[in-house]
Amino acid sequence: MRRLKDAVVGDRLRKIYNADLFGPVLTGDSNLDELKDAIDKVKKYVENYDPKTVTEGELVFKTIYATSVVSHGVDLDELNFMVFQGLPYATSEYVQALSRVGRKQLGVVFLWFYPNRVRDDSFYRNFNRYHNSLDHEVKPVPINRFARLGLHQTINSLFCAGIMNYLSDKKGRPLFHKKDVMDMTEEDEKNLVAFIESVYGGEYLDIDVAHEVSIRLNQIKESSDGLNEFFPNILKRSGDFFFRNQSGMRGIQKQLALGLKPQDIGRLKERGEDMPGKDIHSIPESSSFFQGHIGQFFSKSGFSFRIQSNYSDQNKLEEINTNKYKPRFLKIINRKIAARNSGGGNLYQVTPEDLIVSAVKLIDDVDREDVCGIFEMYPRSGLCTKDGCNSYFEIDRGRTCGHRDDDPWEQFTFLAFCVECGRLLPLHYMTNIFNDCKKCGGKNTLTILRWGRNKDDMSSYRVKCTVCGSEERLYFYPCDHTDRNTRECISTRPKKRFRGVPARAGAIIHPHVISIPDIPQEDEIDQSGRKNSQGRMLSEAFSYFFSYEIDGALLNLPEFQKIMSDDISFWQLLRVNTLCEDKNLDLSDRENWSRNQLLKIIKSAIKIAKERIEPDGSNHDAIIANYGIDKIKRALTAVKDIDFDENDLQGIYLLDSNTLNSRDIPKQPPDNYSNWLGHFGLKEVVQISDLTIVQALIGIIEGSTRKEGSLFRPIETGRNDRRKATVFVRDPDRGCSLSSGL
């Protein structure tokens, strides 16, 4: 943001209009004092502002330059004019920032679209339609503010703040070190607990504050650190994830730390670039799928980079029931591919064998742990800026203009992009850069670039011969929609010229991320309300017998259950009869069984059949017949085209949930709760705690995200001909709550 203000905008204002920019810059790195100072200065300016006293040349506006932090940390009724530089990625972020202006008086908002950003171009063309449906574009959030994990993640900060501020004020001396904690009395501990409960609103807590305080005090007192050690550091080094302090809105998250490609470190050093801080790029966990996925661009220290790889965390992957989600990933991916192909695309459908599910690696400490992936400098093209040379060159091959490698240069960050098939290539591949000169016949001499007033305006570019100085317009070749590596056709659309686009985050590549609540069924929960291993066992057995082409959620379809209930041959099997006896279920009264009782028998048959199969598979066919697996498969095949997703599962779970982890009345209901239910046509509101939200990056969209048949493609990992479609998963919201009305 500072570079944008000073170098990009400020320099042009100074050169063209002899003007300058004034005002603070606020980003996610700004501390609370900087935010408060900016707010106070604006308020003071408005209070003292008198238009009659403003003379020519004086400031009329008090300006703040900010990232999205302004939409969360700056509350000013005085803000009435806002300019967006590009459209924010999330509609919720756009609405949140938009609401900062016009609180008291009529507000004015300008949306400055990036002309070379495909996504911005799409929103510009559909602006009215988008704005008329803003509320529908905001993605729903499936967790509420009483999420148990949220309390665990924030209580350590309150614990430390309570001692260093509240108790310090109460005792009249600073309490910062281990020795101060050692001297705390029982009364001090009670006061600290009461302070934390008052901050949260004690009567609504789903957490034992006294216990949380006690274990932290014991951790500090029993540590081997010296008495003068800063006690928050003792907690941080304990290794407990929830003993870390929240240093900001993202301060408690893990990080996706990427390392710069070793060859690029060497190249930058050779060209005199100072490397400290540039070889590691850290992204907060919550943004890892949006800003840290393979193929995404980002800018750092004046250079553009592209993420080359993400490492997998095998231990984390084992915690996620991938067998359960793989059929859903396949269904969504293949639907997206089919939609693309209907518009002229030519991508292959993904088979179960060709889909990899990977848990993205995240770390706590960038300085002490290995990186989570690799990024590279991209595009790998530059401009020699020595004495205004502006000769285009490939970074890996060096300059052709005669200047030395350690002479000044800058990266040239434009790429050639086809909006029809999504091909993205270096600029010199699909333009007349490096062509022979038509006037003097020089070989590959068209290398010097010239442009108009705006360097971002590709239509103003010209290419100059290094020998005779003749110029011609920079032009792009038509795309033949053929992959350069495999020579396969990737689109049947008519040929269209490439266009120049900047290698910036959100300009070309957009992640397609989905969030799925992991809804456990009744038999997957033990007496304590926690999920047991039955769900994973069922998913493994289900995928073994029915492959990933059939979704396990189909077991919950009423149509499937009706087919199975009416299949007399299944219930006549000896093994099935034994299962009914073990569950104390009367087969003769099957018509009166509940949905859960019927499912218990079917699920048990699937799980036990898988356990009974010999390692060599010698009894496979006999087991299939004895436990009716063939009959279950026939019923599943009959209903597999019926759309049944997590929303349906969620409804079933809420209707059938036991009382171990559900609540019929919210902890903080409205005063007129019964009238409130009636107003919305609800019978009751059920809250379910301790759910897991699985987030999955299933692919990327190239170019516009809003056009029909968007250019979706799965992310591929692996080497050369062994590359396979890969879905990256993480479970960011363990222990969250879900509320739903019935």
Side-chain angles (χ1 to χ4, degrees), residues 637-660:
T637 303
V639 301
K640 71 174 184 178
D641 293 330
I642 299 176
D643 194 15
F644 188 81
D645 58 19
E646 278 295 323
N647 292 327
D648 301 299
L649 264 184
Q650 179 177 314
I652 289 175
Y653 180 72
L654 290 171
L655 288 168
D656 295 342
S657 61
N658 54 36
T659 58
L660 292 174

Short mmCIF file of all heavy atoms in Angstrom, two decimals, residues 637-660:
data_model
loop_
_atom_site.label_atom_id
_atom_site.label_comp_id
_atom_site.label_asym_id
_atom_site.label_seq_id
_atom_site.Cartn_x
_atom_site.Cartn_y
_atom_site.Cartn_z
N THR A 637 -27.29 -47.57 -6.88
CA THR A 637 -27.20 -47.23 -8.30
C THR A 637 -28.53 -46.67 -8.80
O THR A 637 -28.56 -45.77 -9.65
CB THR A 637 -26.81 -48.47 -9.13
OG1 THR A 637 -25.57 -48.99 -8.63
CG2 THR A 637 -26.66 -48.14 -10.59
N ALA A 638 -29.62 -47.18 -8.26
CA ALA A 638 -30.94 -46.73 -8.70
C ALA A 638 -31.22 -45.28 -8.31
O ALA A 638 -32.03 -44.60 -8.96
CB ALA A 638 -32.01 -47.65 -8.11
N VAL A 639 -30.55 -44.78 -7.24
CA VAL A 639 -30.85 -43.42 -6.76
C VAL A 639 -29.67 -42.47 -6.92
O VAL A 639 -29.74 -41.33 -6.47
CB VAL A 639 -31.28 -43.45 -5.27
CG1 VAL A 639 -32.51 -44.32 -5.08
CG2 VAL A 639 -30.14 -43.95 -4.38
N LYS A 640 -28.59 -42.90 -7.58
CA LYS A 640 -27.36 -42.10 -7.58
C LYS A 640 -27.50 -40.78 -8.34
O LYS A 640 -26.69 -39.87 -8.15
CB LYS A 640 -26.20 -42.91 -8.14
CG LYS A 640 -26.25 -43.16 -9.63
CD LYS A 640 -24.96 -43.86 -10.09
CE LYS A 640 -24.95 -44.04 -11.59
NZ LYS A 640 -23.68 -44.67 -12.04
N ASP A 641 -28.52 -40.67 -9.21
CA ASP A 641 -28.69 -39.43 -9.96
C ASP A 641 -29.51 -38.40 -9.19
O ASP A 641 -29.67 -37.26 -9.66
CB ASP A 641 -29.36 -39.71 -11.30
CG ASP A 641 -28.46 -40.51 -12.23
OD1 ASP A 641 -27.23 -40.37 -12.11
OD2 ASP A 641 -28.98 -41.29 -13.06
N ILE A 642 -30.01 -38.77 -8.03
CA ILE A 642 -30.75 -37.81 -7.20
C ILE A 642 -29.75 -36.92 -6.47
O ILE A 642 -28.80 -37.41 -5.86
CB ILE A 642 -31.66 -38.54 -6.18
CG1 ILE A 642 -32.69 -39.40 -6.92
CG2 ILE A 642 -32.35 -37.53 -5.27
CD1 ILE A 642 -33.57 -40.22 -5.98
N ASP A 643 -29.94 -35.60 -6.55
CA ASP A 643 -29.01 -34.66 -5.92
C ASP A 643 -29.27 -34.62 -4.42
O ASP A 643 -30.35 -34.25 -3.96
CB ASP A 643 -29.19 -33.27 -6.53
CG ASP A 643 -28.05 -32.34 -6.19
OD1 ASP A 643 -27.01 -32.85 -5.74
OD2 ASP A 643 -28.19 -31.12 -6.37
N PHE A 644 -28.26 -35.00 -3.65
CA PHE A 644 -28.38 -35.05 -2.19
C PHE A 644 -27.05 -34.57 -1.62
O PHE A 644 -26.03 -35.23 -1.78
CB PHE A 644 -28.68 -36.48 -1.73
CG PHE A 644 -29.01 -36.61 -0.27
CD1 PHE A 644 -30.28 -36.32 0.19
CD2 PHE A 644 -28.04 -37.00 0.64
CE1 PHE A 644 -30.58 -36.45 1.54
CE2 PHE A 644 -28.34 -37.13 1.98
CZ PHE A 644 -29.61 -36.85 2.44
N ASP A 645 -27.04 -33.39 -0.99
CA ASP A 645 -25.78 -32.80 -0.58
C ASP A 645 -25.73 -32.57 0.92
O ASP A 645 -26.57 -33.05 1.68
CB ASP A 645 -25.53 -31.49 -1.33
CG ASP A 645 -26.67 -30.48 -1.11
OD1 ASP A 645 -27.42 -30.63 -0.13
OD2 ASP A 645 -26.79 -29.55 -1.93
N GLU A 646 -24.72 -31.77 1.36
CA GLU A 646 -24.53 -31.51 2.78
C GLU A 646 -25.69 -30.75 3.41
O GLU A 646 -25.95 -30.90 4.59
CB GLU A 646 -23.22 -30.73 3.00
CG GLU A 646 -21.98 -31.58 3.01
CD GLU A 646 -21.95 -32.56 4.17
OE1 GLU A 646 -22.41 -32.20 5.27
OE2 GLU A 646 -21.47 -33.67 3.99
N ASN A 647 -26.39 -29.94 2.63
CA ASN A 647 -27.54 -29.22 3.18
C ASN A 647 -28.63 -30.20 3.61
O ASN A 647 -29.28 -30.02 4.64
CB ASN A 647 -28.10 -28.24 2.15
CG ASN A 647 -27.14 -27.11 1.86
OD1 ASN A 647 -26.42 -26.68 2.75
ND2 ASN A 647 -27.13 -26.62 0.63
N ASP A 648 -28.83 -31.24 2.80
CA ASP A 648 -29.82 -32.26 3.16
C ASP A 648 -29.36 -33.04 4.39
O ASP A 648 -30.14 -33.35 5.29
CB ASP A 648 -30.03 -33.22 1.99
CG ASP A 648 -30.52 -32.50 0.74
OD1 ASP A 648 -31.60 -31.90 0.81
OD2 ASP A 648 -29.81 -32.53 -0.26
N LEU A 649 -28.06 -33.38 4.42
CA LEU A 649 -27.52 -34.09 5.58
C LEU A 649 -27.67 -33.27 6.85
O LEU A 649 -27.95 -33.78 7.92
CB LEU A 649 -26.04 -34.41 5.35
CG LEU A 649 -25.69 -35.79 4.81
CD1 LEU A 649 -24.19 -35.95 4.75
CD2 LEU A 649 -26.30 -36.89 5.67
N GLN A 650 -27.43 -31.96 6.71
CA GLN A 650 -27.54 -31.07 7.86
C GLN A 650 -28.95 -31.09 8.43
O GLN A 650 -29.16 -31.15 9.64
CB GLN A 650 -27.16 -29.65 7.43
CG GLN A 650 -27.25 -28.62 8.54
CD GLN A 650 -26.80 -27.26 8.05
OE1 GLN A 650 -25.78 -27.14 7.39
NE2 GLN A 650 -27.56 -26.25 8.35
N GLY A 651 -29.95 -31.05 7.53
CA GLY A 651 -31.34 -31.09 7.99
C GLY A 651 -31.67 -32.39 8.71
O GLY A 651 -32.32 -32.38 9.76
N ILE A 652 -31.21 -33.52 8.15
CA ILE A 652 -31.44 -34.82 8.78
C ILE A 652 -30.79 -34.87 10.15
O ILE A 652 -31.36 -35.35 11.14
CB ILE A 652 -30.92 -35.96 7.88
CG1 ILE A 652 -31.81 -36.10 6.65
CG2 ILE A 652 -30.85 -37.28 8.64
CD1 ILE A 652 -31.30 -37.11 5.65
N TYR A 653 -29.56 -34.34 10.23
CA TYR A 653 -28.84 -34.39 11.50
C TYR A 653 -29.56 -33.56 12.57
O TYR A 653 -29.69 -33.99 13.72
CB TYR A 653 -27.42 -33.86 11.31
CG TYR A 653 -26.59 -33.88 12.57
CD1 TYR A 653 -26.15 -35.08 13.10
CD2 TYR A 653 -26.28 -32.71 13.24
CE1 TYR A 653 -25.41 -35.12 14.26
CE2 TYR A 653 -25.54 -32.73 14.40
CZ TYR A 653 -25.10 -33.94 14.90
OH TYR A 653 -24.37 -33.97 16.05
N LEU A 654 -30.06 -32.40 12.18
CA LEU A 654 -30.76 -31.55 13.15
C LEU A 654 -32.05 -32.20 13.63
O LEU A 654 -32.43 -32.10 14.79
CB LEU A 654 -31.06 -30.19 12.52
CG LEU A 654 -29.85 -29.29 12.27
CD1 LEU A 654 -30.25 -28.08 11.44
CD2 LEU A 654 -29.24 -28.84 13.57
N LEU A 655 -32.72 -32.89 12.71
CA LEU A 655 -33.97 -33.54 13.08
C LEU A 655 -33.74 -34.75 13.99
O LEU A 655 -34.53 -35.02 14.90
CB LEU A 655 -34.72 -33.99 11.82
CG LEU A 655 -35.35 -32.86 10.98
CD1 LEU A 655 -35.79 -33.41 9.64
CD2 LEU A 655 -36.51 -32.23 11.73
N ASP A 656 -32.66 -35.48 13.75
CA ASP A 656 -32.42 -36.73 14.45
C ASP A 656 -31.38 -36.63 15.56
O ASP A 656 -31.05 -37.63 16.19
CB ASP A 656 -31.96 -37.81 13.47
CG ASP A 656 -33.06 -38.15 12.48
OD1 ASP A 656 -34.22 -37.82 12.76
OD2 ASP A 656 -32.74 -38.73 11.43
N SER A 657 -30.80 -35.44 15.78
CA SER A 657 -29.68 -35.33 16.71
C SER A 657 -30.10 -35.69 18.13
O SER A 657 -31.21 -35.42 18.56
CB SER A 657 -29.11 -33.92 16.68
OG SER A 657 -30.09 -32.99 17.09
N ASN A 658 -29.12 -36.30 18.84
CA ASN A 658 -29.39 -36.60 20.24
C ASN A 658 -29.15 -35.35 21.07
O ASN A 658 -28.77 -34.31 20.57
CB ASN A 658 -28.51 -37.76 20.72
CG ASN A 658 -27.03 -37.48 20.46
OD1 ASN A 658 -26.58 -36.36 20.57
ND2 ASN A 658 -26.28 -38.52 20.12
N THR A 659 -29.36 -35.42 22.37
CA THR A 659 -29.26 -34.25 23.23
C THR A 659 -27.86 -34.05 23.78
O THR A 659 -27.63 -33.13 24.55
CB THR A 659 -30.24 -34.38 24.42
OG1 THR A 659 -29.92 -35.59 25.13
CG2 THR A 659 -31.67 -34.44 23.92
N LEU A 660 -26.91 -34.88 23.37
CA LEU A 660 -25.56 -34.77 23.92
C LEU A 660 -24.86 -33.50 23.49
O LEU A 660 -24.10 -32.92 24.23
CB LEU A 660 -24.73 -35.99 23.51
CG LEU A 660 -25.16 -37.32 24.12
CD1 LEU A 660 -24.35 -38.46 23.51
CD2 LEU A 660 -24.95 -37.30 25.64
#
